């Protein structure tokens, strides 16, 4: 049987999988010689064993951990369950992947009446002993026995009111004893410390399956099967008196990324008080004044840890009677701006390599550079200021609960979630909120940490607000009332709360971000192109680093007022002659548009897809519009209706569209090709370098390609002969039907490039109509019938398999044929990694995704090199 229990001196930081992140780091810090209260870890394997056995602890487990427990007693010089010299434990969860605050922790375990009295006696600090005891009872009752924590808080509130006490620090030993007596009428908990321990271990295992933990894993793509370890650690006490305290610190600023030690502390308080955000803590500099040596030790420790881990650390520490203890360290969660700044600066400090820096930045982080910020010149009506917990600007309607937030967001209106503090239960509301505002809690409170992780703007610790949930009003110090439904603006970068909708500036780049992107370009093999039709989008794409257009959907050019009329007339034409007349007019528009695009893209390839949608998409359906159209094309309305009806289809996405249009109406294709090539020739004559790549959509076999390339070649030759200029051009095909991918070896010899249209390919591989999946995909995901929406993240198993076959088969017959992807997946980092590994030449995505795609492509390359 594998070892189930590890002492803190038996593991290291690489044991995350087995010991959980927290446990592995406690071991690492122990071996670094840092002051970590000793303890042991029950492995994640044991957790899985527990689940497999139908939630039963392995028979030998208690024996095993009792051996470890003896060692801890020896090291700590105290005994678990011994009233004359009691040792208390914290029992903490800790998964392989950090899930802060999502699972359970039980503190001060090992107390009962007799032992609490003994603790009071031994320490000579009765107030501390009974404060700890009452904390233990409520925590144990809540976490292990399922008695809601509010019940206990409520009793304290009542007691305080009845006895004229305001704060926790006003409570004496006798007060806490009175509270304990009341608690004992609410809950009947086990007196025996070993029973307590066993139940706590089980409760930690079970907290893996709480709804909030499950939700968190879903949101962060963490596997359900990992399980949690249990850390059983000797307690140290920040609530021992004024020479004690607890705090949280970051080695660099987690909001801005600046290289500046940063933390918060509460004196005479347990660590849970800081994390829960129930009291607003002091900046850690307060420690420097009160206990300079301890501050120095903390400072040295953070320096040491950052160098050791080569990453920004988020640490929890406790001071008991002037002695410093480390309780946790982990890679700190950070905002996007901070992530980029830290990664870039650490390369400069020779801590990490460029490749490592790239791996440290997630797509979400990059998105932060695209967040709006409140225009500083427009700021007015600042009614309150809190802590700048998560940057960015947000405007929305005030709501006071997560449920309301979901409702309003569902109705399509932006919301600001206003809470006294937040708890993990509020996550579903925080997720949909544009911004979060809390009265209590510091920069490291739940609200702050979660908001930063989600990239949602947040202000915490806004103590000048008083919030009345019942009436739905938040009142400022000056008596300004903000009611449910009122619009306010938050500036999460400055911490200011403003009335009304304040203008926000577009997201801005930074030097660090540009540096990182330049590294991405250096470290990637995949090219990144953009999907764009308008010169504006094309310019944006270039600005964001696109290396060409991978998809220009020509139909988008026909929807403007004057053009749609000609388009409709063309579609309604009853003879070739009539149709050609309108096509000629359309050609002019198309040529002008393409000319503009070639100008912007000067020297970069532009992939132009031939007309793709079913024609009825261009036609009006209302009676009035039909009348107007009849007049415009000079046909009786009955005729218009008849043609329209004849074009309607039962399954339009599988109907008369794509290259099938070119087969039936070659003159449309002729028109498009002539427009494209004339525009290219115009551009060349005007001194630009046009590089058109004409792409045939929805192909199913090689005969289609042959027939259409003949039309294309004729059109091209006609223009080029007339113009006497040379334009380099390519002809290629989309790969978006299963049949095309399966016959790729037949198609490849006929074309110069191939581009996966993974939207259609996914649709046809699954048989899921892309426009109707909304009705069932959410349930599919929830019921775990699919892992992700296949239209968001490429399905590697089947769609990916088709792609893989297509690439290898076509490269067999045509070495090095250019391959790209232009579906929505081209901007999805996981799909990009797959495309890299597949050996594609480029991905194409919407202009705003280009920076993300550049980084994702680099990450894929770095990862591959590391393997
Ligand atoms: P989380 O994963 O939610 O951060 P932790 O396991 O870190 O949960 O525990 C929550 C808090 O309990 C910590 O912030 C710390 O202050 C306190 N705590 C945990 N272990 C101990 C201990 N051995 N002694 C004193 N306080 C502890
Ligand atoms: Mg913690
Ligand atoms: Mg398509």
């Amino acid at each position: 049987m594998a070892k189930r229990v590890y002492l803190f001196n038996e593991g290291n930081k690489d044991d995350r999988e087995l010991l959980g992140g927290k446990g592995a780091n406690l071991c690492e810090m122990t071996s670094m010689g840092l002051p970590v209260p000793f303890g042991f870890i029950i492995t994640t394997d044991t957790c899985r064993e527990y689940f497999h056995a139908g939630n039963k602890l392995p028979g030998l487990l208690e024996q095993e951990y009792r051996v470890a427990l003896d060692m801890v007693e020896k090291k700590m010089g105290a005994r678990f369950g011994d009233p004359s010299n009691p040792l208390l434990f914290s029992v903490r969860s800790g998964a392989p992947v950090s899930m802060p605050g999502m699972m359970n922790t039980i503190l001060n375990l090992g107390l009962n009446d007799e032992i609490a009295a003994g603790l009071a006696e031994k320490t000579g600090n009765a107030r501390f002993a009974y404060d700890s005891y009452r904390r233990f009872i409520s925590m144990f009752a809540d976490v292990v026995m399922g008695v809601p924590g509010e019940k206990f808080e409520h009793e304290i509130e009542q007691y305080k009111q009845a006895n004229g006490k305001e704060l926790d620090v006003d409570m004496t030993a006798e007060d806490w004893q009175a509270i304990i007596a009341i608690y004992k009428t609410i809950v009947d908990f086990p007196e025996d410390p070993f029973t307590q321990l066993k139940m706590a271990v089980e409760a930690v295992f079970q907290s893996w399956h709480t709804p909030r933990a499950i939700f968190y894993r879903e949101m962060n793509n963490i596997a359900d099967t990992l399980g949690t370890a249990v850390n059983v650690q000797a307690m140290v006490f920040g609530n021992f008196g004024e020479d004690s305290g607890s705090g949280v610190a970051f080695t660099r600023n987690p909001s801005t990324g600046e290289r500046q030690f940063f933390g918060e502390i509460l004196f005479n308080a347990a660590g849970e008080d800081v994390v829960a955000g129930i009291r607003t803590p002091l900046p850690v500099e307060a420690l420097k004044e009160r206990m300079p040596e301890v501050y120095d030790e903390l400072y040295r420790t953070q320096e040491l840890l950052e160098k050791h881990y080569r990453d920004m650390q988020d640490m929890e520490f406790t001071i008991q009677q002037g002695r410093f203890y480390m309780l946790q360290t982990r890679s700190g969660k950070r905002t996007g701006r901070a992530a980029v700044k830290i990664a870039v600066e650490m390369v400069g400090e020779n801590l990490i390599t460029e490749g490592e820096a790239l791996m440290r930045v997630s797509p979400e982080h990059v998105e932060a550079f695209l967040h709006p910020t409140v225009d500083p010149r427009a700021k007015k009506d600042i009614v309150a200021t809190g802590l700048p917990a998560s940057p960015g600007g947000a405007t929305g309607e005030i709501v006071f609960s997560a449920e309301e937030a979901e409702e309003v967001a569902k109705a399509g209106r932006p919301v600001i979630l206003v809470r006294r503090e937040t708890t993990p239960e509020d996550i579903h509301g925080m997720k949909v909120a544009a911004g979060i505002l809390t009265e209590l809690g510091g920069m490291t409170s739940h609200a702050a940490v979660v908001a930063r992780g989600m990239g949602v703007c947040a202000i915490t610790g806004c103590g000048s607000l008083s919030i009345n949930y019942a009436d739905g009003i938040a009142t400022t110090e000056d008596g300004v009332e903000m009611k449910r439904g009122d619009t306010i603006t938050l500036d999460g970068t400055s911490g200011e709360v403003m009335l009304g909708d304040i203008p926000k500036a577009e997201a801005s780049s930074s030097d660090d971000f540009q540096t990182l992107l330049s590294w991405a370009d250096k470290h990637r093999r995949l090219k990144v192109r953009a999907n764009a039709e308008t010169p504006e989008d094309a310019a944006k794409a270039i600005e964001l680093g696109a290396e060409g257009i991978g998809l220009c959907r020509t139909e988008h050019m026909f929807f403007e007022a004057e053009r749609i009329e000609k388009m409709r007339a063309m579609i309604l034409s009853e003879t070739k002659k009539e149709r050609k007349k309108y096509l000629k007019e359309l050609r002019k528009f198309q040529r002008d548009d393409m000319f503009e695009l070639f100008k912007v893209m000067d020297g970069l390839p532009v992939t132009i897809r031939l007309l793709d949608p079913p024609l009825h998409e261009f036609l009006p359906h209302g009676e009035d519009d039909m009348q107007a159209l009849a007049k415009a094309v000079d046909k009786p309305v009955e005729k218009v209706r008849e043609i329209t009806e004849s074009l309607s289809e039962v399954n339009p996405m599988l109907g008369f569209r794509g290259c099938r249009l070119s087969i039936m109406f070659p003159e449309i294709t002729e028109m498009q090709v002539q427009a494209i090539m004339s525009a290219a020739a115009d551009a060349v004559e005007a001194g630009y370098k046009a590089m058109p790549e004409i792409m045939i959509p929805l192909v199913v076999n090689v005969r289609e390609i042959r027939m259409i390339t003949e039309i294309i070649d004729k059109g091209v030759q006609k223009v080029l002969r007339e113009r006497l200029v040379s334009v380099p051009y390519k002809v290629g095909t989309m790969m978006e039907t299963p049949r095309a991918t399966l016959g790729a070896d037949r198609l490849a010899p006929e074309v110069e490039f191939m581009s996966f249209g993974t939207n259609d390919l996914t649709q046809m591989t699954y048989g899921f109509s892309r426009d109707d999946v909304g009705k069932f995909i959410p349930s599919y995901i929830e019921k775990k019938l699919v892992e992700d929406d296949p239209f968001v993240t490429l399905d590697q198993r089947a769609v990916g398999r088709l792609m893989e076959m297509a690439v290898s088969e076509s490269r067999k017959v045509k070495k090095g044929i250019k391959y790209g992807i232009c579906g929505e997946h081209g901007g999805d980092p996981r799909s990009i990694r797959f495309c890299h590994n597949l050996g594609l030449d480029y991905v194409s995505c919407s202009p705003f995704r280009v920076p993300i795609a550049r980084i994702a492509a680099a990450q894929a390359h770095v990862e591959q090199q590391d393997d």
Side-chain angles (χ1 to χ4, degrees):
M1 189 67 239
K3 188 172 158 71
R4 294 195 183 94
V5 179
Y6 285 72
L7 284 160
F8 283 3
N9 57 8
E10 294 181 315
N12 66 56
K13 69 176 179 353
D14 301 320
D15 296 325
R16 306 182 66 90
E17 200 106 339
L18 183 66
L19 304 180
K22 196 182 287 162
N25 287 332
L26 286 169
C27 289
E28 185 78 13
M29 288 196 292
T30 303
S31 71
M32 288 168 73
L34 290 172
V36 178
F38 202 53
F40 60 87
I41 304 157
I42 303 174
T43 63
T44 56
D45 280 348
T46 313
C47 178
R48 286 188 291 269
E49 200 181 340
Y50 169 80
F51 292 143
H52 283 149
N55 293 357
K56 267 184 63 188
L57 291 176
L60 290 173
L61 180 64
E62 182 161 5
Q63 243 169 288
E64 285 177 57
Y65 70 62
R66 282 208 185 203
V67 175
L69 197 147
D70 283 346
M71 303 291 291
V72 179
E73 286 180 337
K74 281 209 187 81
K75 200 137 194 166
M76 300 304 295
R79 288 180 62 89
F80 189 57
D82 178 357
S84 67
N85 182 22
L87 175 63
L88 304 188
F89 282 125
S90 77
V91 181
R92 320 166 68 182
S93 56
V97 183
S98 165
M99 296 171 54
M102 286 302 124
M103 287 178 302
N104 292 334
T105 295
I106 300 119
L107 302 176
N108 303 305
L109 185 121
L111 283 170
N112 55 32
D113 286 356
E114 197 192 347
I115 298 172
L119 185 66
E121 167 107 24
K122 166 149 196 278
T123 57
N125 188 344
R127 186 196 179 278
F128 147 74
Y130 292 109
D131 179 28
S132 301
Y133 191 22
R134 64 94 191 175
R135 285 174 189 270
F136 166 66
I137 299 174
S138 56
M139 213 167 195
F140 190 87
D142 182 7
V143 172
V144 181
M145 303 180 71
V147 185
E150 294 96 71
K151 271 202 174 158
F152 299 99
E153 276 155 41
H154 178 75
E155 292 302 337
I156 295 185
E157 286 309 311
Q158 289 238 312
Y159 183 91
K160 280 184 181 163
Q161 258 175 22
N163 294 278
K165 310 266 171 174
E166 211 180 310
L167 303 170
D168 279 5
V169 289
D170 302 333
M171 300 282 279
T172 62
E174 290 69 36
D175 291 324
W176 288 132
Q177 277 179 296
I179 291 284
I180 289 160
I182 301 169
Y183 279 10
K184 293 182 98 179
T185 65
I186 304 177
V187 58
D188 188 14
F189 66 93
E191 297 269 327
D192 170 40
F194 283 96
T195 310
Q196 292 174 2
L197 180 55
K198 198 165 166 183
M199 287 172 75
V201 168
E202 214 172 331
V204 168
F205 282 159
Q206 273 169 4
S207 69
W208 182 253
H209 288 314
T210 56
R212 67 176 195 226
I214 293 171
F215 185 79
Y216 185 90
R217 288 199 290 276
E218 265 169 23
M219 237 178 89
N220 294 282
N221 271 311
I222 300 171
D224 259 335
T225 49
L226 294 173
T228 179
V230 186
N231 302 282
V232 180
Q233 184 182 29
M235 280 296 295
V236 287
F237 304 98
N239 59 335
F240 201 87
E242 287 305 314
D243 58 354
S244 304
S246 299
V248 173
F250 291 85
T251 58
R252 302 190 188 211
N253 187 312
S255 242
T256 63
E258 269 162 295
R259 192 179 180 186
Q260 146 209 97
F261 177 51
F262 172 87
E264 293 178 328
I265 186 163
L266 274 176
F267 290 106
N268 196 10
E272 46 177 329
D273 301 341
V274 186
V275 180
I278 48 179
R279 273 164 63 188
T280 304
L282 303 169
V284 72
E285 283 67 34
L287 180 62
K288 204 180 199 164
E289 282 158 35
R290 218 187 269 204
M291 296 178 240
E293 299 87 52
V294 178
Y295 180 85
D296 286 346
E297 188 172 0
L298 169 64
Y299 194 88
R300 279 197 310 273
T301 304
Q302 63 90 22
E303 265 182 340
L304 183 70
L305 283 172
E306 189 179 274
K307 279 227 172 67
H308 185 78
Y309 282 94
R310 304 186 309 126
D311 195 9
M312 187 265 270
Q313 296 295 297
D314 162 359
M315 314 173 318
E316 293 174 14
F317 61 92
T318 281
I319 300 153
Q320 181 180 343
Q321 297 166 285
R323 274 191 67 184
F324 173 75
Y325 295 96
M326 280 301 297
L327 295 181
Q328 186 170 335
T329 192
R330 64 178 171 218
S331 283
K333 290 238 185 311
R334 60 204 78 180
T335 63
R337 284 199 175 262
V340 170
K341 190 174 192 63
I342 292 170
V344 171
E345 290 190 353
M346 283 191 167
V347 173
E349 294 160 25
N350 286 324
L351 271 181
I352 59 175
T353 63
E354 287 178 12
E356 283 174 305
L358 284 162
M359 296 310 289
R360 296 257 172 106
V361 175
S362 73
E364 290 74 31
H365 289 147
V366 178
E367 260 156 35
F369 286 84
L370 315 165
H371 280 321
T373 46
V374 179
D375 182 353
R377 286 157 305 177
K379 274 186 192 175
K380 53 179 185 356
D381 283 337
I382 298 172
V383 291
T385 304
L387 301 171
S390 181
T395 300
E397 223 177 280
I398 298 178
V399 299
F400 289 97
S401 74
E403 287 67 33
E404 280 171 70
E406 274 199 312
E407 253 173 61
V408 176
K410 216 171 236 159
R413 304 197 302 276
V415 288
I416 304 288
L417 177 61
V418 182
R419 299 284 298 166
R420 219 165 274 148
E421 81 267 296
T422 64
T423 69
E425 264 83 40
D426 295 314
I427 291 218
H428 60 112
M430 300 169 79
K431 198 187 168 193
V432 297
I436 296 160
L437 171 62
T438 71
E439 182 187 333
L440 302 165
M443 293 284 285
T444 49
S445 65
H446 178 264
V449 173
V450 172
R452 277 199 295 273
M454 299 193 299
V456 174
C457 149
I459 297 174
T460 60
C462 193
S464 62
L465 288 184
S466 93
I467 297 174
N468 180 337
Y469 285 140
D471 299 335
I473 299 177
T475 313
T476 70
E477 260 170 352
D478 304 326
V480 179
E481 292 192 341
M482 300 186 283
K483 300 195 190 66
R484 173 182 285 119
D486 289 355
T487 296
I488 58 169
T489 297
L490 306 184
D491 184 348
T493 313
S494 67
E496 292 154 317
V497 181
M498 290 152 278
L499 297 182
D501 185 351
I502 312 295
K504 282 169 279 314
E506 294 275 299
S508 66
S509 185
S510 78
D511 289 349
D512 292 324
F513 187 47
Q514 290 309 325
T515 304
L516 189 81
L517 284 171
S518 72
W519 292 343
D521 294 344
K522 202 160 100 189
H523 290 272
R524 71 187 155 93
R525 182 191 58 72
L526 265 183
K527 298 250 178 225
V528 177
R529 297 192 185 185
N531 300 345
E533 288 86 44
T534 65
E536 296 76 41
D537 283 358
K540 187 84 209 169
I542 289 186
E543 183 196 321
L544 294 173
E547 296 159 299
I549 289 180
L551 178 63
C552 164
R553 304 166 162 102
T554 47
E555 58 270 16
H556 286 194
M557 298 172 160
F558 294 122
F559 276 104
E560 271 166 48
E562 212 185 333
R563 302 152 181 221
I564 188 74
E565 210 168 84
K566 303 288 177 219
M567 189 71 186
R568 286 170 173 173
M570 186 276 286
I571 293 167
L572 293 172
S573 298
E574 290 161 273
T575 65
K576 199 168 221 170
K577 192 165 156 235
E578 192 185 357
R579 182 169 309 112
K580 280 198 159 162
K581 182 179 105 196
Y582 292 116
L583 279 171
K584 208 165 164 190
E585 294 180 51
L586 286 170
R587 187 171 73 198
K588 189 180 158 336
F589 293 126
Q590 182 115 73
R591 176 172 170 175
D592 292 349
D593 290 345
M594 291 310 309
F595 177 63
E596 293 303 320
L597 211 51
F598 288 136
K599 262 172 39 185
V600 176
M601 297 305 295
D602 188 18
L604 296 173
V606 178
T607 309
I608 306 134
R609 182 178 68 186
L610 296 173
L611 196 65
D612 181 55
L615 294 180
H616 54 81
E617 276 192 13
F618 295 96
L619 296 179
H621 295 283
E623 191 55 34
D624 286 354
D625 292 338
M626 206 85 89
Q627 298 272 3
L629 179 57
K631 215 174 193 170
V633 299
D634 198 19
K635 286 186 203 287
V637 72
E638 292 75 37
K639 190 80 212 164
V640 171
R641 196 174 299 121
E642 183 194 313
I643 299 176
T644 306
E645 271 163 23
S646 77
L647 281 171
S648 91
E649 294 172 299
V650 179
N651 290 317
M653 282 302 104
L654 302 176
F656 182 30
R657 57 175 284 232
C659 71
R660 300 156 208 176
L661 296 169
S662 301
I663 302 293
M664 302 301 288
F665 300 122
E667 55 274 22
I668 296 182
T669 304
E670 269 162 34
M671 175 283 276
Q672 289 202 286
V673 171
Q674 282 181 27
I676 293 164
M677 292 312 289
S678 307
D682 296 344
V684 170
E685 273 174 9
Y688 299 94
K689 193 161 176 227
M691 302 177 69
E693 302 188 343
I694 298 171
M695 183 160 73
I696 311 169
L698 221 71
V699 163
V700 299
N701 73 20
V702 69
R703 297 181 201 185
E704 288 172 329
I705 293 192
R706 287 199 189 116
M707 185 168 282
I708 295 165
T709 44
E710 205 180 302
I711 302 169
I712 294 174
D713 285 339
K714 248 195 223 147
V716 170
Q717 290 319 321
K718 185 159 178 250
V719 173
L720 293 189
R721 257 200 317 276
E722 278 170 17
R723 301 293 295 268
L724 295 171
V725 294
S726 133
V727 178
Y729 75 98
K730 292 193 166 80
V731 178
T733 178
M734 299 239 356
M735 297 294 277
E736 53 182 342
T737 64
R739 197 178 192 288
T741 58
L742 292 168
D745 56 332
R746 303 258 298 150
L747 309 187
E750 307 292 325
V751 292
E752 281 149 294
F753 67 92
M754 304 174 111
S755 178
F756 289 112
T758 46
N759 300 343
D760 271 306
L761 188 58
T762 301
Q763 168 163 270
M764 286 184 241
T765 303
Y766 274 79
F768 283 180
S769 156
R770 171 150 64 112
D771 304 302
D772 300 302
V773 284
K775 296 201 184 85
F776 55 87
I777 277 282
S779 298
Y780 263 60
I781 292 172
E782 194 192 318
K783 296 191 165 74
K784 306 222 180 304
L785 297 171
V786 294
E787 228 149 78
D788 305 287
D789 180 341
F791 291 99
V792 175
T793 297
L794 193 79
D795 160 53
Q796 296 182 13
R797 182 170 290 273
V799 179
R801 184 130 172 253
L802 288 173
M803 292 167 71
E804 228 172 310
M805 281 166 56
V807 173
S808 71
E809 297 278 292
S810 35
R811 288 206 168 136
K812 255 185 229 154
V813 297
K814 194 162 183 169
K815 212 168 159 271
I817 184 166
K818 196 165 68 171
Y819 246 112
I821 177 174
C822 60
E824 286 305 305
H825 301 105
D828 171 66
R830 273 190 286 167
S831 311
I832 291 172
R833 189 196 304 146
F834 178 74
C835 292
H836 169 88
N837 292 334
L838 209 57
L840 299 195
D841 297 285
Y842 68 87
V843 298
S844 188
C845 57
S846 71
F848 275 99
R849 298 295 295 180
V850 167
I852 292 172
R854 287 159 71 192
I855 291 177
Q859 288 174 337
H861 191 64
V862 169
E863 219 173 59
Q864 195 181 41
Q865 308 252 291
D866 285 350
D867 279 351

